[in-house]
Amino acid sequence: MTIVAASSAVLLTLAACGQAENLAQGEDTAAPAGPVEIRVAWWGAEGRHEQTQAALKVCESALGNVTTSAEFASQGYDDRLATQFAASDAPDIIQVTSGHVTSYGQRGGLVDIATVKEHIDTSAIAPGVLNQDSVDGKNYAVPITVNASGIVLNVGLMEQYGLERPDDENWTWEDLFEYASSVYKASDGAIWGLQQPSEDIRLLGIWARQLGHSDGLFSETGVGVDTEVISSFLEYGYDLQESEGSAPASVSIEHQGGGVEQTMIGTGKALMAVRPINEITALVAATGSEFELLQLPVHDDGETGQTFRSMSWAITSNSEHPVEAAQMLNCLQGNLDAADILQAERGLPANQEVVEHIRSNLSPEQQMMADFVAIVQENASEAAPMAPPPGADTAEQMLRRYAEDMLFDRISPVEAAEQFTAELNQSVSDAG
């Protein structure tokens, strides 16, 4: 859900002509024989910088005619990138999130991957993952890593209170509700069943997709679903609180705003929580407990609605060497020698051949994530949800605010849905 900082508005000075000039339709895209230097930019900690530079050297050797210059940052990456775009001096390859892809792709700042597809093999990336970087029907990036939403289950607490493991292969939201609501009584009030889900904007989008709205929560003008869809999601969270399936509002709010170790699931006050699955590693480290990943429930029609998050590589449209940039990008995401260096530092690789290649080096939690993603990819739709439009960058904070008012009985689920919809639509309208 991250949207690039407001400073990226300077990108409006870009025109899509750069890509058009470099990759005119019918132009020969064969790489020239001479040596070419490719600038590669990313953010991260020192370990990532060292690994990525080593992987780049592997790719230089593999390609033969390409050298690289590294432009990495630990802080201020977005601001620097926006400034470079404004000066038509962006690196050839940049590390991006979905927010970057939406903002830069819509303004002509990124190369449509279809124009260099002969140089990038994406066959080992599931379509549902690859299409997460799609904007207006075009893919502007190639995923490096993949993440999804799931339910993390504290196995130690489950065993401590004599609870059975739920059957997540065949369960509905009603099943989850009943199971979560039984935990408080079974534990004599020591823990609650499920961390309050009503403030999760990503889960709301999945809920909408499960109900047949393939675009998810958003449209180009703001909220793309009826308020009934949103109110049904909010009512589920409210009813869960009323049944003691989740903690009272005062307790839930107390555990927000910090890291995963401060959440209800991280402090051992909830048996389960809907979380990005990559948080399982941090949960194990913070609690010392054993955790499992459960699939999200479905509605009666069985649609998973699952969406993916990714960190990706993209080629900027002002690159003078889009073919070589594509070849370098392809090496970074799929070369097995490079994969031996990069491992899973950025997260679970999106390329399934890479995952299998490094699987023996993955931690038990990462292997669990790999198994989870494999199941999700099998059942998930290839269609990606609509990207959040400009002005929707505060949607998560909006939803949290209205959900909290509802949980404290200041407004009803219907009122919360209506007010959330109105405010978000206004925000998108103002940004347009």
Side-chain angles (χ1 to χ4, degrees), residues 196-219:
Q196 177 56 233
S198 62
E199 302 176 350
D200 188 335
I201 192 79
R202 184 176 176 80
L203 183 58
L204 172 55
I206 293 172
W207 182 278
R209 278 164 63 89
Q210 286 189 353
L211 291 174
H213 302 274
S214 59
D215 283 341
L217 175 62
F218 297 103
S219 70

PDB file of all heavy atoms in Angstrom, residues 196-219:
ATOM      1  N   GLN A 196      -7.589  -8.131  16.262  1.00  0.00           N
ATOM      2  CA  GLN A 196      -8.662  -7.405  15.569  1.00  0.00           C
ATOM      3  C   GLN A 196      -8.291  -7.143  14.100  1.00  0.00           C
ATOM      4  O   GLN A 196      -7.295  -6.488  13.798  1.00  0.00           O
ATOM      5  CB  GLN A 196      -8.937  -6.083  16.278  1.00  0.00           C
ATOM      6  CG  GLN A 196      -9.981  -5.201  15.622  1.00  0.00           C
ATOM      7  CD  GLN A 196     -11.326  -5.885  15.435  1.00  0.00           C
ATOM      8  OE1 GLN A 196     -11.866  -5.922  14.337  1.00  0.00           O
ATOM      9  NE2 GLN A 196     -11.875  -6.446  16.511  1.00  0.00           N
ATOM     10  N   PRO A 197      -9.122  -7.654  13.146  1.00  0.00           N
ATOM     11  CA  PRO A 197      -8.773  -7.546  11.724  1.00  0.00           C
ATOM     12  C   PRO A 197      -9.356  -6.338  10.996  1.00  0.00           C
ATOM     13  O   PRO A 197      -9.013  -6.090   9.840  1.00  0.00           O
ATOM     14  CB  PRO A 197      -9.372  -8.827  11.143  1.00  0.00           C
ATOM     15  CG  PRO A 197     -10.609  -9.044  11.969  1.00  0.00           C
ATOM     16  CD  PRO A 197     -10.269  -8.561  13.365  1.00  0.00           C
ATOM     17  N   SER A 198     -10.236  -5.578  11.638  1.00  0.00           N
ATOM     18  CA  SER A 198     -11.030  -4.585  10.893  1.00  0.00           C
ATOM     19  C   SER A 198     -10.230  -3.372  10.425  1.00  0.00           C
ATOM     20  O   SER A 198     -10.738  -2.573   9.646  1.00  0.00           O
ATOM     21  CB  SER A 198     -12.215  -4.109  11.743  1.00  0.00           C
ATOM     22  OG  SER A 198     -11.771  -3.462  12.919  1.00  0.00           O
ATOM     23  N   GLU A 199      -8.980  -3.233  10.883  1.00  0.00           N
ATOM     24  CA  GLU A 199      -8.176  -2.076  10.483  1.00  0.00           C
ATOM     25  C   GLU A 199      -7.171  -2.412   9.394  1.00  0.00           C
ATOM     26  O   GLU A 199      -6.322  -1.589   9.055  1.00  0.00           O
ATOM     27  CB  GLU A 199      -7.454  -1.519  11.715  1.00  0.00           C
ATOM     28  CG  GLU A 199      -8.422  -1.108  12.819  1.00  0.00           C
ATOM     29  CD  GLU A 199      -7.708  -0.650  14.074  1.00  0.00           C
ATOM     30  OE1 GLU A 199      -6.484  -0.821  14.151  1.00  0.00           O
ATOM     31  OE2 GLU A 199      -8.376  -0.105  14.960  1.00  0.00           O
ATOM     32  N   ASP A 200      -7.269  -3.595   8.831  1.00  0.00           N
ATOM     33  CA  ASP A 200      -6.308  -4.080   7.838  1.00  0.00           C
ATOM     34  C   ASP A 200      -6.793  -3.733   6.432  1.00  0.00           C
ATOM     35  O   ASP A 200      -7.664  -4.404   5.878  1.00  0.00           O
ATOM     36  CB  ASP A 200      -6.136  -5.592   8.009  1.00  0.00           C
ATOM     37  CG  ASP A 200      -5.016  -6.172   7.167  1.00  0.00           C
ATOM     38  OD1 ASP A 200      -4.672  -5.589   6.129  1.00  0.00           O
ATOM     39  OD2 ASP A 200      -4.486  -7.240   7.548  1.00  0.00           O
ATOM     40  N   ILE A 201      -6.228  -2.693   5.834  1.00  0.00           N
ATOM     41  CA  ILE A 201      -6.678  -2.231   4.518  1.00  0.00           C
ATOM     42  C   ILE A 201      -6.411  -3.287   3.449  1.00  0.00           C
ATOM     43  O   ILE A 201      -7.192  -3.447   2.508  1.00  0.00           O
ATOM     44  CB  ILE A 201      -6.002  -0.888   4.154  1.00  0.00           C
ATOM     45  CG1 ILE A 201      -6.670  -0.235   2.937  1.00  0.00           C
ATOM     46  CG2 ILE A 201      -4.512  -1.076   3.900  1.00  0.00           C
ATOM     47  CD1 ILE A 201      -7.939   0.477   3.253  1.00  0.00           C
ATOM     48  N   ARG A 202      -5.338  -4.015   3.591  1.00  0.00           N
ATOM     49  CA  ARG A 202      -5.026  -5.064   2.619  1.00  0.00           C
ATOM     50  C   ARG A 202      -6.060  -6.186   2.696  1.00  0.00           C
ATOM     51  O   ARG A 202      -6.524  -6.689   1.676  1.00  0.00           O
ATOM     52  CB  ARG A 202      -3.625  -5.602   2.857  1.00  0.00           C
ATOM     53  CG  ARG A 202      -3.174  -6.634   1.848  1.00  0.00           C
ATOM     54  CD  ARG A 202      -1.739  -7.039   2.109  1.00  0.00           C
ATOM     55  NE  ARG A 202      -1.320  -8.102   1.219  1.00  0.00           N
ATOM     56  CZ  ARG A 202      -0.940  -7.926  -0.049  1.00  0.00           C
ATOM     57  NH1 ARG A 202      -0.924  -6.704  -0.553  1.00  0.00           N
ATOM     58  NH2 ARG A 202      -0.570  -8.936  -0.797  1.00  0.00           N
ATOM     59  N   LEU A 203      -6.433  -6.560   3.910  1.00  0.00           N
ATOM     60  CA  LEU A 203      -7.432  -7.603   4.086  1.00  0.00           C
ATOM     61  C   LEU A 203      -8.786  -7.158   3.553  1.00  0.00           C
ATOM     62  O   LEU A 203      -9.529  -7.964   2.983  1.00  0.00           O
ATOM     63  CB  LEU A 203      -7.537  -7.989   5.563  1.00  0.00           C
ATOM     64  CG  LEU A 203      -8.506  -9.133   5.894  1.00  0.00           C
ATOM     65  CD1 LEU A 203      -8.131 -10.404   5.145  1.00  0.00           C
ATOM     66  CD2 LEU A 203      -8.553  -9.381   7.396  1.00  0.00           C
ATOM     67  N   LEU A 204      -9.100  -5.885   3.686  1.00  0.00           N
ATOM     68  CA  LEU A 204     -10.344  -5.366   3.127  1.00  0.00           C
ATOM     69  C   LEU A 204     -10.361  -5.547   1.619  1.00  0.00           C
ATOM     70  O   LEU A 204     -11.394  -5.918   1.034  1.00  0.00           O
ATOM     71  CB  LEU A 204     -10.511  -3.890   3.496  1.00  0.00           C
ATOM     72  CG  LEU A 204     -11.673  -3.135   2.839  1.00  0.00           C
ATOM     73  CD1 LEU A 204     -13.004  -3.844   3.084  1.00  0.00           C
ATOM     74  CD2 LEU A 204     -11.727  -1.699   3.347  1.00  0.00           C
ATOM     75  N   GLY A 205      -9.231  -5.302   0.966  1.00  0.00           N
ATOM     76  CA  GLY A 205      -9.159  -5.519  -0.483  1.00  0.00           C
ATOM     77  C   GLY A 205      -9.359  -6.972  -0.855  1.00  0.00           C
ATOM     78  O   GLY A 205     -10.036  -7.296  -1.842  1.00  0.00           O
ATOM     79  N   ILE A 206      -8.780  -7.874  -0.064  1.00  0.00           N
ATOM     80  CA  ILE A 206      -8.959  -9.309  -0.309  1.00  0.00           C
ATOM     81  C   ILE A 206     -10.416  -9.701  -0.091  1.00  0.00           C
ATOM     82  O   ILE A 206     -10.993 -10.482  -0.865  1.00  0.00           O
ATOM     83  CB  ILE A 206      -8.016 -10.117   0.602  1.00  0.00           C
ATOM     84  CG1 ILE A 206      -6.561  -9.877   0.193  1.00  0.00           C
ATOM     85  CG2 ILE A 206      -8.356 -11.604   0.555  1.00  0.00           C
ATOM     86  CD1 ILE A 206      -5.544 -10.480   1.140  1.00  0.00           C
ATOM     87  N   TRP A 207     -11.009  -9.180   0.971  1.00  0.00           N
ATOM     88  CA  TRP A 207     -12.431  -9.432   1.272  1.00  0.00           C
ATOM     89  C   TRP A 207     -13.295  -9.033   0.072  1.00  0.00           C
ATOM     90  O   TRP A 207     -14.192  -9.783  -0.337  1.00  0.00           O
ATOM     91  CB  TRP A 207     -12.799  -8.623   2.505  1.00  0.00           C
ATOM     92  CG  TRP A 207     -14.197  -8.746   3.028  1.00  0.00           C
ATOM     93  CD1 TRP A 207     -15.313  -8.094   2.571  1.00  0.00           C
ATOM     94  CD2 TRP A 207     -14.646  -9.547   4.145  1.00  0.00           C
ATOM     95  NE1 TRP A 207     -16.416  -8.427   3.324  1.00  0.00           N
ATOM     96  CE2 TRP A 207     -16.033  -9.318   4.303  1.00  0.00           C
ATOM     97  CE3 TRP A 207     -14.009 -10.408   5.032  1.00  0.00           C
ATOM     98  CZ2 TRP A 207     -16.787  -9.926   5.308  1.00  0.00           C
ATOM     99  CZ3 TRP A 207     -14.762 -11.019   6.028  1.00  0.00           C
ATOM    100  CH2 TRP A 207     -16.132 -10.791   6.163  1.00  0.00           C
ATOM    101  N   ALA A 208     -13.002  -7.866  -0.508  1.00  0.00           N
ATOM    102  CA  ALA A 208     -13.766  -7.392  -1.662  1.00  0.00           C
ATOM    103  C   ALA A 208     -13.576  -8.319  -2.865  1.00  0.00           C
ATOM    104  O   ALA A 208     -14.533  -8.640  -3.578  1.00  0.00           O
ATOM    105  CB  ALA A 208     -13.343  -5.966  -2.016  1.00  0.00           C
ATOM    106  N   ARG A 209     -12.349  -8.759  -3.095  1.00  0.00           N
ATOM    107  CA  ARG A 209     -12.087  -9.664  -4.217  1.00  0.00           C
ATOM    108  C   ARG A 209     -12.787 -11.002  -4.010  1.00  0.00           C
ATOM    109  O   ARG A 209     -13.285 -11.606  -4.970  1.00  0.00           O
ATOM    110  CB  ARG A 209     -10.577  -9.850  -4.394  1.00  0.00           C
ATOM    111  CG  ARG A 209      -9.929  -8.712  -5.184  1.00  0.00           C
ATOM    112  CD  ARG A 209      -8.424  -8.685  -5.027  1.00  0.00           C
ATOM    113  NE  ARG A 209      -7.734  -9.856  -5.541  1.00  0.00           N
ATOM    114  CZ  ARG A 209      -7.285 -10.007  -6.797  1.00  0.00           C
ATOM    115  NH1 ARG A 209      -7.495  -9.037  -7.690  1.00  0.00           N
ATOM    116  NH2 ARG A 209      -6.620 -11.085  -7.153  1.00  0.00           N
ATOM    117  N   GLN A 210     -12.828 -11.466  -2.782  1.00  0.00           N
ATOM    118  CA  GLN A 210     -13.537 -12.715  -2.504  1.00  0.00           C
ATOM    119  C   GLN A 210     -15.026 -12.600  -2.808  1.00  0.00           C
ATOM    120  O   GLN A 210     -15.679 -13.594  -3.132  1.00  0.00           O
ATOM    121  CB  GLN A 210     -13.348 -13.116  -1.039  1.00  0.00           C
ATOM    122  CG  GLN A 210     -11.966 -13.654  -0.707  1.00  0.00           C
ATOM    123  CD  GLN A 210     -11.902 -14.245   0.684  1.00  0.00           C
ATOM    124  OE1 GLN A 210     -12.851 -14.159   1.473  1.00  0.00           O
ATOM    125  NE2 GLN A 210     -10.776 -14.854   1.024  1.00  0.00           N
ATOM    126  N   LEU A 211     -15.556 -11.407  -2.706  1.00  0.00           N
ATOM    127  CA  LEU A 211     -16.976 -11.182  -2.964  1.00  0.00           C
ATOM    128  C   LEU A 211     -17.252 -10.829  -4.429  1.00  0.00           C
ATOM    129  O   LEU A 211     -18.335 -10.367  -4.767  1.00  0.00           O
ATOM    130  CB  LEU A 211     -17.503 -10.074  -2.044  1.00  0.00           C
ATOM    131  CG  LEU A 211     -17.585 -10.453  -0.558  1.00  0.00           C
ATOM    132  CD1 LEU A 211     -17.980  -9.241   0.288  1.00  0.00           C
ATOM    133  CD2 LEU A 211     -18.569 -11.604  -0.338  1.00  0.00           C
ATOM    134  N   GLY A 212     -16.251 -11.040  -5.289  1.00  0.00           N
ATOM    135  CA  GLY A 212     -16.462 -10.872  -6.724  1.00  0.00           C
ATOM    136  C   GLY A 212     -15.978  -9.569  -7.316  1.00  0.00           C
ATOM    137  O   GLY A 212     -16.152  -9.337  -8.516  1.00  0.00           O
ATOM    138  N   HIS A 213     -15.361  -8.709  -6.514  1.00  0.00           N
ATOM    139  CA  HIS A 213     -14.845  -7.436  -7.022  1.00  0.00           C
ATOM    140  C   HIS A 213     -13.363  -7.607  -7.339  1.00  0.00           C
ATOM    141  O   HIS A 213     -12.496  -7.351  -6.511  1.00  0.00           O
ATOM    142  CB  HIS A 213     -15.062  -6.324  -5.992  1.00  0.00           C
ATOM    143  CG  HIS A 213     -16.498  -6.135  -5.602  1.00  0.00           C
ATOM    144  ND1 HIS A 213     -17.358  -5.333  -6.329  1.00  0.00           N
ATOM    145  CD2 HIS A 213     -17.235  -6.675  -4.599  1.00  0.00           C
ATOM    146  CE1 HIS A 213     -18.558  -5.359  -5.775  1.00  0.00           C
ATOM    147  NE2 HIS A 213     -18.508  -6.169  -4.720  1.00  0.00           N
ATOM    148  N   SER A 214     -13.067  -8.048  -8.560  1.00  0.00           N
ATOM    149  CA  SER A 214     -11.701  -8.441  -8.918  1.00  0.00           C
ATOM    150  C   SER A 214     -10.701  -7.301  -8.814  1.00  0.00           C
ATOM    151  O   SER A 214      -9.516  -7.536  -8.609  1.00  0.00           O
ATOM    152  CB  SER A 214     -11.671  -9.030 -10.332  1.00  0.00           C
ATOM    153  OG  SER A 214     -12.140  -8.078 -11.281  1.00  0.00           O
ATOM    154  N   ASP A 215     -11.181  -6.058  -8.949  1.00  0.00           N
ATOM    155  CA  ASP A 215     -10.279  -4.910  -8.839  1.00  0.00           C
ATOM    156  C   ASP A 215      -9.918  -4.604  -7.389  1.00  0.00           C
ATOM    157  O   ASP A 215      -9.065  -3.745  -7.127  1.00  0.00           O
ATOM    158  CB  ASP A 215     -10.903  -3.660  -9.472  1.00  0.00           C
ATOM    159  CG  ASP A 215     -10.825  -3.685 -10.993  1.00  0.00           C
ATOM    160  OD1 ASP A 215      -9.990  -4.453 -11.521  1.00  0.00           O
ATOM    161  OD2 ASP A 215     -11.583  -2.958 -11.643  1.00  0.00           O
ATOM    162  N   GLY A 216     -10.561  -5.275  -6.451  1.00  0.00           N
ATOM    163  CA  GLY A 216     -10.271  -5.020  -5.045  1.00  0.00           C
ATOM    164  C   GLY A 216     -10.999  -3.797  -4.535  1.00  0.00           C
ATOM    165  O   GLY A 216     -12.117  -3.490  -4.954  1.00  0.00           O
ATOM    166  N   LEU A 217     -10.355  -3.071  -3.650  1.00  0.00           N
ATOM    167  CA  LEU A 217     -11.002  -1.939  -2.981  1.00  0.00           C
ATOM    168  C   LEU A 217     -11.105  -0.711  -3.852  1.00  0.00           C
ATOM    169  O   LEU A 217     -12.071   0.049  -3.765  1.00  0.00           O
ATOM    170  CB  LEU A 217     -10.220  -1.600  -1.695  1.00  0.00           C
ATOM    171  CG  LEU A 217     -10.669  -0.369  -0.911  1.00  0.00           C
ATOM    172  CD1 LEU A 217     -12.107  -0.536  -0.410  1.00  0.00           C
ATOM    173  CD2 LEU A 217      -9.725  -0.110   0.259  1.00  0.00           C
ATOM    174  N   PHE A 218     -10.121  -0.488  -4.724  1.00  0.00           N
ATOM    175  CA  PHE A 218      -9.986   0.812  -5.377  1.00  0.00           C
ATOM    176  C   PHE A 218     -10.514   0.853  -6.801  1.00  0.00           C
ATOM    177  O   PHE A 218     -10.614  -0.166  -7.490  1.00  0.00           O
ATOM    178  CB  PHE A 218      -8.513   1.231  -5.387  1.00  0.00           C
ATOM    179  CG  PHE A 218      -7.919   1.426  -4.025  1.00  0.00           C
ATOM    180  CD1 PHE A 218      -7.081   0.469  -3.474  1.00  0.00           C
ATOM    181  CD2 PHE A 218      -8.212   2.558  -3.279  1.00  0.00           C
ATOM    182  CE1 PHE A 218      -6.538   0.638  -2.213  1.00  0.00           C
ATOM    183  CE2 PHE A 218      -7.676   2.738  -2.022  1.00  0.00           C
ATOM    184  CZ  PHE A 218      -6.841   1.777  -1.483  1.00  0.00           C
ATOM    185  N   SER A 219     -10.839   2.071  -7.207  1.00  0.00           N
ATOM    186  CA  SER A 219     -11.086   2.390  -8.604  1.00  0.00           C
ATOM    187  C   SER A 219     -10.233   3.617  -8.930  1.00  0.00           C
ATOM    188  O   SER A 219      -9.528   4.139  -8.060  1.00  0.00           O
ATOM    189  CB  SER A 219     -12.571   2.713  -8.839  1.00  0.00           C
ATOM    190  OG  SER A 219     -12.908   3.959  -8.238  1.00  0.00           O
TER     191      SER A 219
END
